[in-house]
Amino acid sequence: MPPSFLDSGPPFQNQFRRSRTPPVEAQLPKTAPISQFEPLNREEEMDRRQVLGFAGAAISVAAFAPARAFADAAKGSQIASGGLLIDGNLMPPLDPEAPLDEEFAALVRSSGLTALKMTLGGSGNLDKAQTDADIADVGKAIDKNPQLFTRIRAPSDFVEAKRSGKVGIIFSFEAGEMLEGKVDNIDHFRQAGVLVMGLTYNRETPFGSGVLSRNPTGLTRLGREAVARMNARGVSVDISHCDEATSLAAITASRAPVLVTHAGCAAIYKHPRNKSDALLRALAKKGGVVGIYELSFLVPYPAQPDIADYISHLDHALKVCGEDHVGIGTDGPLTPFDTSPQSMAAWNAEIERRKKSGVSAPGEGPPPFVIGLNRPDRYSVIADAMAARGYRSRTIEKVLGENFARVFAETWKSEPQ
């Protein structure tokens, strides 16, 4: 069977079904030496998000920064519980073979999410056929949990997801390799329900250059055709992993707003995956949205970012882009990342594989979470922090979900053929 994000095999399948090791994020010093997480020498063909998908563990309340630490916590939490919550990039716990048990289901419900955008098709390591299998597996997993998850196929589905209390799942790509250099494959995957697509992962593709491209091309002629086809078929264009030249050209070429669903701000910490002010301004001017992620790239390696670091990037994006153009794009697991030795060994083995394959960004290694946000209800914590900094309720509502909902509504409209 072709590899998919669900075809992880031991230990991840077993960990997902049985592990109950609580997260220990509060025990991690902010500048924890990376020697605590020494990579193991193991070759496994799995995407980083395969590890994330099976990294959930039970909540440990003591490990979380208490909400009362924020001056206006009640205000922020009330906003988070009442409006649309949409995460621009998140990995839910899914299993195509069996429904989630009640403990995992409770974790999902506790997130308060209306919907999340889920990456399929790997990080440039899956072809068209393998991605078809990936899509089929995720569909099976959703069908196993009809009381918990629902597919998002149109903007109106957000309202129904909120009404029903289910978490809507938006199918998406952040790489371009599964298109195999053929613009017609955009039509193929749009028919399969993929609503957000990238042009590149970290390396170059026939469409453009990734943030780690050794021979940058910028947006190619075929890339312009791909952007036009995505616009025409009602697909959101995601440039999270494209380099600056490709990104700026894609924004210019697109007839609709463009997304950076998960990134940070280069002005706060310069890193290939963080975006410049010039790019953020261009994105906002076109009507797009940037989702702030929770990866270690928010701070210098090997530090583990905390909530203050996260809010620094969010603050900066709001100042540069304005309140209509910023969202949340976690880029990690919905359930708490498990920092047990077994989980960290698997994580480090995957980082080693990514390094060898050439897709690893500089400084990969620290686990994918922000201290204080390694919990399903991270959105309430973010809302509390924003309220404590004086952000008005309307701004918080937009950041937590309304901005992404607006762009999805504007970009999922197919043009007459």
Side-chain angles (χ1 to χ4, degrees):
M1 179 179 181
S4 76
F5 94 100
L6 292 163
D7 189 26
S8 300
F12 307 106
Q13 195 76 276
N14 293 336
Q15 180 196 19
F16 170 68
R17 299 305 306 166
R18 292 192 283 273
S19 172
R20 293 294 181 269
T21 306
V24 291
E25 59 162 272
Q27 301 173 27
L28 288 174
K30 188 179 177 191
T31 55
I34 202 64
S35 59
Q36 287 184 235
F37 310 126
E38 280 298 327
L40 300 181
N41 183 19
R42 189 181 76 175
E43 288 289 328
E44 288 204 34
E45 278 303 313
M46 66 178 71
D47 182 81
R48 179 169 66 94
R49 283 167 181 72
Q50 296 169 9
V51 178
L52 294 182
F54 298 96
I59 293 179
S60 173
V61 176
F64 303 145
R68 63 178 178 274
F70 301 101
D72 202 359
K75 178 181 176 183
S77 297
Q78 288 169 3
I79 295 168
S81 64
L84 288 179
L85 296 187
I86 300 176
D87 197 309
N89 209 51
L90 193 70
M91 176 61 71
L94 292 173
D95 184 346
E97 304 302 327
L100 298 184
D101 61 32
E102 186 49 43
E103 189 166 357
F104 270 95
L107 287 173
V108 172
R109 293 190 190 99
S110 72
S111 71
L113 276 166
T114 306
L116 60 89
K117 183 187 77 65
M118 177 182 180
T119 294
L120 301 173
S123 299
N125 58 327
L126 300 187
D127 61 21
K128 180 184 175 184
Q130 292 169 331
T131 301
D132 282 337
D134 201 18
I135 291 170
D137 279 346
V138 175
K140 291 177 185 176
I142 293 172
D143 290 344
K144 293 284 185 182
N145 299 275
Q147 78 295 345
L148 196 61
F149 297 115
T150 185
R151 285 278 300 276
I152 298 293
R153 301 176 187 271
S156 59
D157 292 339
F158 292 126
V159 176
E160 177 58 24
K162 183 69 177 179
R163 185 200 64 77
S164 67
K166 299 177 183 179
V167 176
I169 297 182
I170 304 163
F171 285 9
S172 76
F173 299 154
E174 55 185 281
E177 280 79 357
M178 72 288 294
L179 299 177
E180 298 182 344
K182 299 175 182 178
V183 171
D184 286 346
N185 283 334
I186 293 170
D187 298 55
H188 168 83
F189 286 117
R190 180 61 177 84
Q191 290 173 359
V194 181
L195 297 173
V196 183
M197 299 185 193
L199 298 167
T200 76
Y201 191 64
N202 288 345
R203 298 177 294 194
E204 60 269 15
T205 69
F207 308 109
S209 310
V211 296
L212 301 182
S213 293
R214 295 181 180 178
N215 301 297
T217 61
L219 188 68
T220 65
R221 179 190 58 78
L222 192 63
R224 288 182 174 82
E225 292 180 16
V227 170
R229 185 68 64 88
M230 291 178 192
N231 289 164
R233 298 295 180 262
V235 174
S236 304
V237 179
D238 187 355
I239 55 173
S240 295
H241 285 269
C242 297
D243 66 8
E244 180 125 340
T246 300
S247 297
L248 290 170
I251 291 170
T252 299
S254 179
R255 298 188 298 276
V258 172
L259 294 171
V260 173
T261 59
H262 54 294
C265 299
I268 301 299
Y269 176 58
K270 190 173 183 179
H271 185 277
R273 281 287 286 110
N274 294 337
K275 306 306 180 184
S276 72
D277 285 359
L279 177 51
L280 293 175
R281 290 191 189 98
L283 182 82
K285 186 176 180 180
K286 196 62 172 267
V289 173
V290 57
I292 303 302
Y293 58 21
E294 297 179 20
L295 298 186
S296 61
F297 310 144
L298 297 175
V299 294
Y301 176 88
Q304 193 74 39
D306 61 20
I307 184 66
D309 298 313
Y310 185 86
I311 295 299
S312 291
H313 283 261
L314 190 66
D315 265 337
H316 185 81
L318 284 163
K319 290 173 183 175
V320 173
C321 299
E323 67 177 29
D324 295 318
H325 305 287
V326 181
I328 307 300
T330 298
D331 203 19
L334 186 158
T335 51
F337 185 87
D338 177 4
T339 53
S340 67
Q342 180 189 28
S343 176
M344 288 307 306
W347 171 257
N348 291 323
E350 170 59 9
I351 296 299
E352 284 298 288
R353 185 199 68 79
R354 285 171 58 85
K355 289 178 179 178
K356 291 177 181 178
S357 68
V359 300
S360 175
E364 284 193 8
F369 62 77
V370 165
I371 296 173
L373 297 180
N374 189 26
R375 48 191 288 175
D377 63 341
R378 55 177 55 85
Y379 314 98
S380 292
V381 179
I382 294 169
D384 291 342
M386 292 182 69
R389 294 178 77 92
Y391 283 103
R392 65 193 185 103
S393 299
R394 192 73 192 100
T395 302
I396 299 172
E397 290 168 348
K398 291 179 179 181
V399 170
L400 293 184
E402 291 188 12
N403 288 338
F404 272 128
R406 171 185 59 79
V407 174
F408 291 144
E410 292 176 7
T411 56
W412 291 351
K413 301 174 182 177
S414 297
E415 299 175 359
Q417 299 185 27

